[in-house]
Every structure is written in C-alpha cells, then in structure tokens.
Amino acid sequence: MGKKLYTKQNVSINKTENLGIPELVVLEENSDDINFEVIHRRYFEDEKPLCPACRSAKTRCSKIVVRKFKDLLWTDNEHKKFKIINLFFHQRYMRCDECKKSVFPEPIDFGEKGCKFTNRLSDILADGTFQFSYKKVCQHYGVPSSTASIGEVMRRRIQYRESMLQPLKTPNIISIVELVFFGEFYPVILGVVDDEIYCLDILRDSSEQTCGSFLKTLDGNQVKTIYIDPVDSLFNVVNQYFPMASIVVTDEAIRRYARNAMLAIIHSDGKRFPVVHKDRRLTVLQKDLNDKMVIQRIKEGMKSRPRLQRAYNHYQRLLELMETKWSVDDLRTWVDQIPTDIDEFLTVGDIVDVFGEQLNCFLALDEKPPNNYQFAVQGICDAIKDMPHCIFDVMRGRCIFSVTHDTVEENGELRRYGIKSSRLIDKINEISDNIRKEREYGY
C-alpha cells in the first residue's frame, strides 16, 4: 500500500469529514455508511515515523496490517441517536534502515494498543460503566462486551477524570482502612475534617510501594494523627512517611475486626437462623434492640446452636466493654477468655499483642475520632462489599470518579477534601441498584 496504490484522489472528503477523526482519511473504495476503509493522514506527507530504538527518520514501509476497530457516530445533535461503524485501518509497519534492528507500527492516537474500539467509543462505554454494568452498556451500543477489553477501556477514562481533579488538601487526620471486595483487600484512604469523614482514594493493594506512592503526595507537615488498620505493611509505610505523626489503632478497628469474626461465625453456624437481617441484629448490642420479639427469637435460635451462643455472648461482652473507659489490659482479659472453640476471635488477640502500643496511643489522644467515624467506615466497607463483582479499576472508578468531591478555595486555588462519606455510600448503593435492576442502560 504505497503511494503507487493510493493518491489524494482516492480520498472521500465528505466521509472523512463525517468520520471526524483528525488523523484519519477515508478511502472511497470499499467504504459505505457502516464500513470505512481508512489510512493515516501522514500517508500523504513527507514526515516519516521515527524509529523508537534509535530515533532515526530513515524508516520505510515494511508491511501492511489491516486492523478492525469498532467506532461510534452520533446521528443527531443531542447525542441520543447513533450508529456503530467499522473502521478498517491499514496500518503500516516501518523498518529502520539506520539501526536495521527495528520493525514497528506507525503510531496512532485514535485507538489504544490491542483494543478493538476507538478511543471515542471506549470513552463512551467507560462513562456508562461508571454507573451501570459494562455488559449492559455494551448491549445498549451493540458492541461486544469482552472482559478482555474492559480494563483498557476504563483505565484510559480514569486517567482523564483523574487529571481533571483538583489537588488534595492534606487533612490533619487521615485514616487507612482495609476493605474486603470479593476476597481481596484494598486500602481506603480517609480524611477527617471538622467532624466530617471524606474518602480520598482507594488503593490497589496494601503494599508499602503502593501506599507510599499515594502518601508522598500529601504534605507531611500537615498530618498530625493517623488511624491505621492493624496491618504491618500499613504501619511500616506510615511510620516511614510521617515519623512525627501519632500513629494509632482505634476502637473502631477493634470493633470492626471483631464484627467480621462474628459475621464469619454467623455464616457458618447460623444457617436458617429465625431472625430477619441476622447479620445486623446479631452484631449490635442487644440492649440497642428495641423489638422484644426479635430478642425472643434470638434466644430461641441460640438454643440449638451452642457454638453461636458462646460466640454471641462473648462478642456482647466486648461491645459492652468498648462502651466503658476500657484499657488494653481489659482487652487482653477479654482475649484470654475467648472460648476454646471460637478461633475466629483470635484475630483480635493478635491485634492486642502486636499493636498494643498503638492502642495505648489512641487512648492517650486528646481528640478522639468523631462520633460518626465508626458508622462512616462501616457504611463504606459494607456498601463496597455489597457491590456486584468487577475488576479493581471499575470498582475504584465507580467510587472515586462518579461522585462529586468537596472543594475549598485556598490562596486563590481550589483544593479538594475528597468525597463526603454519606454521599459516597449513597452513590455506591445507587450504582449497585442500577446494575442489579433489569432495566437496560440508557432508558
């Protein structure tokens, strides 16, 4: 496909304008309303792609590979009607005569490497996937919903939305909480500002490298207190980046880890338990249950489940303890009294043994977490845990880039606090409902 095959007379000006991709021109031959034969504009220019190995311009066409892309054209000004088209892109592979080592495809901007969609179509699919399932969005636009494409489609749009965010305003108090999503642990970074809880980001893993990459974007001089989950890697990286801050393990972490252990026991020993919403009602203080009928049903259900009964009673003692002015020694006593067949609670014992110093630092704090801190953390963890399955990039995109961030003007520049926890929880639940409901995307 050299200049001997095509000249500018072979280009359809109208179809090129209708396509609207600046770097491409449409060939008249074999093109119709749905199928477009296209080449790069530089085909008719003297500019030659530089060799990626030696940066030489002594390159020539070695072979032609036809790549098929799905693309979208809007057929009305309101962007409600559309048609899906096929682009057959004749991509040249260039050989370098300078270093004689490199054969490379001519670079393009309208599509990502290995992706079957143009960037234009990918961005539209990604915007829909922030709110609905990828499968429903692809069905709406009539394109294949291959799981192999979703990562590249989402990552590109996430990078764009991330670039549009204002820089973070570093809070005086940050919190790092590990949430569980389909068996994987992801750290959620929270900020505490004026008794409000804000979500700053969700990280890919709890490694020191990943957490450090985020923490180094914060102003270390501003961070005074850090609440961490009892995870060695989190403690190590926080201690490295904020050595002057107070690093503490809060009572909320103790409650959450004990609650997770209790939930594991409920799910193993509490099958067909005669109480509606048993996960919630068996993990709160019994004195806070106002329904006497529910309390009676709990007692009846425990009679035939002795292990669950022992776990429930011991868990209730911990909740009652946490309502008082407790000490680390009180927690050690509770741990020592864990029934021998209730292994799930031993996680709390490990926390007390390894992070006793950080628990004591928490007790010594002048400013304790706000009253809504525990409910905000539990609400975020529960909402994300209940989300339908998706890859990390989709989960993070739906949580961070589909919700409005709170901002403040500082020295003439907008900076963001993050996403208010209540707004984040509501949005996650809304997106989960969108995915679970039978209605189609776009209606």
Side-chain angles (χ1 to χ4, degrees):
M1 180 181 143
K3 291 186 178 180
K4 295 180 180 179
L5 291 179
Y6 295 101
T7 66
K8 290 185 178 181
Q9 283 69 36
N10 299 121
V11 173
S12 172
I13 296 176
N14 290 336
K15 289 180 179 178
T16 299
E17 290 179 354
N18 291 337
L19 180 61
I21 298 179
E23 63 187 299
L24 296 181
V25 294
V26 181
L27 300 174
E28 188 69 56
E29 182 179 351
N30 296 328
S31 293
D32 53 37
D33 291 341
I34 301 298
N35 300 295
F36 288 68
E37 298 279 342
V38 296
I39 57 176
H40 203 285
R41 283 188 181 273
R42 75 166 69 86
Y43 178 85
F44 298 116
E45 299 173 355
D46 294 333
E47 175 193 358
K48 294 184 177 180
L50 298 180
C51 171
C54 66
R55 307 307 295 169
S56 169
K58 295 181 179 180
T59 58
R60 56 186 173 82
C61 181
S62 173
K63 64 177 180 178
I64 305 292
V65 174
V66 179
R67 291 179 61 187
K68 181 180 177 181
F69 292 86
K70 289 286 185 182
D71 192 21
L72 177 144
L73 290 181
W74 296 110
T75 57
D76 67 335
N77 294 330
E78 289 77 27
H79 284 194
K80 292 182 179 180
K81 297 180 180 180
F82 61 88
K83 66 178 178 180
I84 297 297
I85 63 173
N86 299 312
L87 296 186
F88 295 92
F89 174 55
H90 297 257
Q91 187 170 27
R92 294 179 297 171
Y93 275 67
M94 314 301 291
R95 182 180 297 276
C96 179
D97 289 333
E98 181 70 26
C99 66
K100 301 184 184 302
K101 296 179 180 179
S102 179
V103 175
F104 61 95
E106 61 178 329
I108 59 174
D109 294 326
F110 70 90
E112 297 294 332
K113 181 179 179 180
C115 189
K116 302 294 186 181
F117 304 137
T118 63
N119 289 339
R120 177 163 62 188
L121 177 56
S122 291
D123 292 344
I124 291 169
L125 297 177
D127 286 339
T129 306
F130 282 120
Q131 303 286 338
F132 291 81
S133 75
Y134 182 64
K135 182 178 180 180
K136 282 187 178 180
V137 176
C138 288
Q139 285 175 344
H140 174 71
Y141 287 107
V143 297
S145 56
S146 169
T147 55
S149 62
I150 186 172
E152 195 61 55
V153 165
M154 291 302 295
R155 280 189 286 272
R156 168 183 162 79
R157 203 56 173 168
I158 285 172
Q159 290 173 357
Y160 168 75
R161 293 201 180 191
E162 203 161 22
S163 69
M164 301 299 290
L165 291 177
Q166 290 83 12
L168 275 170
K169 176 178 173 58
T170 302
N172 297 133
I173 302 173
I174 65 173
S175 172
I176 307 179
V177 174
E178 269 196 337
L179 60 82
V180 182
F181 185 65
F182 286 90
E184 299 292 336
F185 292 88
Y186 301 103
V188 177
I189 313 297
L190 304 174
V192 182
V193 181
D194 297 332
D195 291 342
E196 288 287 356
I197 315 301
Y198 295 91
C199 179
L200 307 184
D201 207 343
I202 301 175
L203 307 185
R204 183 174 296 276
D205 56 59
S206 299
S207 68
E208 294 183 27
Q209 180 179 2
T210 299
C211 295
S213 296
F214 176 85
L215 294 178
K216 69 183 180 182
T217 64
L218 302 178
D219 183 352
N221 296 322
Q222 293 295 320
V223 179
K224 307 302 180 185
T225 306
I226 304 174
Y227 310 148
I228 64 163
D229 268 10
V231 179
D232 287 336
S233 59
L234 297 181
F235 175 77
N236 292 338
V237 72
V238 164
N239 196 42
Q240 175 185 349
Y241 282 91
F242 306 108
M244 304 306 293
S246 297
I247 305 172
V248 306
V249 175
T250 68
D251 58 345
E252 183 280 327
I254 295 294
R255 293 172 187 261
R256 177 160 36 88
Y257 275 73
R259 177 177 181 263
N260 290 340
M262 186 64 201
L263 287 171
I265 299 169
I266 293 170
H267 296 161
S268 64
D269 290 53
K271 293 180 175 63
R272 294 181 294 278
F273 197 82
V275 172
V276 180
H277 307 305
K278 63 183 179 182
D279 284 5
R280 177 173 59 83
R281 285 170 165 163
L282 294 181
T283 54
V284 298
L285 266 171
Q286 190 174 96
K287 68 178 184 179
D288 293 335
L289 294 173
N290 299 321
D291 193 329
K292 293 182 179 180
M293 182 63 70
V294 170
I295 296 175
Q296 183 60 36
R297 285 182 177 274
I298 289 175
K299 291 179 180 179
E300 292 174 356
M302 293 296 180
K303 290 178 181 178
S304 59
R305 300 169 176 85
R307 182 172 180 270
L308 180 60
Q309 174 77 75
R310 288 190 292 274
Y312 180 72
N313 291 341
H314 202 61
Y315 178 71
Q316 288 291 312
R317 284 196 284 274
L318 177 64
L319 295 184
E320 291 167 357
L321 172 62
M322 302 302 283
E323 294 288 300
T324 67
K325 191 174 181 180
W326 56 275
S327 67
V328 175
D329 287 338
D330 293 329
L331 290 179
R332 289 196 176 100
T333 300
W334 180 87
V335 170
D336 291 339
Q337 295 172 352
I338 294 174
T340 56
D341 60 339
I342 311 296
D343 297 341
E344 289 85 349
F345 285 143
L346 293 180
T347 303
V348 179
D350 294 339
I351 296 172
V352 176
D353 289 340
V354 179
F355 292 90
E357 180 181 347
Q358 285 69 43
L359 286 166
N360 278 319
C361 289
F362 165 72
L363 295 173
L365 286 178
D366 293 329
E367 183 182 357
K368 295 293 193 295
N371 294 331
N372 64 334
Y373 175 73
Q374 176 185 343
F375 302 105
V377 172
Q378 182 175 318
I380 293 172
C381 290
D382 288 349
I384 293 180
K385 181 181 178 182
D386 291 339
M387 286 180 69
H389 181 265
C390 56
I391 64 173
F392 167 76
D393 294 293
V394 176
M395 184 266 284
R396 176 173 177 257
R398 289 170 177 166
C399 294
I400 302 300
F401 303 109
S402 64
V403 194
T404 303
H405 290 241
D406 285 36
T407 58
V408 63
E409 187 171 338
E410 189 177 73
N411 299 324
E413 181 184 23
L414 274 181
R415 303 187 78 86
R416 61 187 172 93
Y417 287 129
I419 307 167
K420 192 175 292 186
S421 60
S422 57
R423 188 185 306 125
L424 175 62
I425 293 168
D426 289 343
K427 189 63 176 181
I428 294 173
N429 290 334
E430 175 192 324
I431 293 171
S432 296
D433 287 343
N434 286 343
I435 295 171
R436 291 191 178 101
K437 288 179 179 177
E438 291 301 320
R439 73 168 185 261
E440 296 297 323
Y441 170 72
Y443 294 91

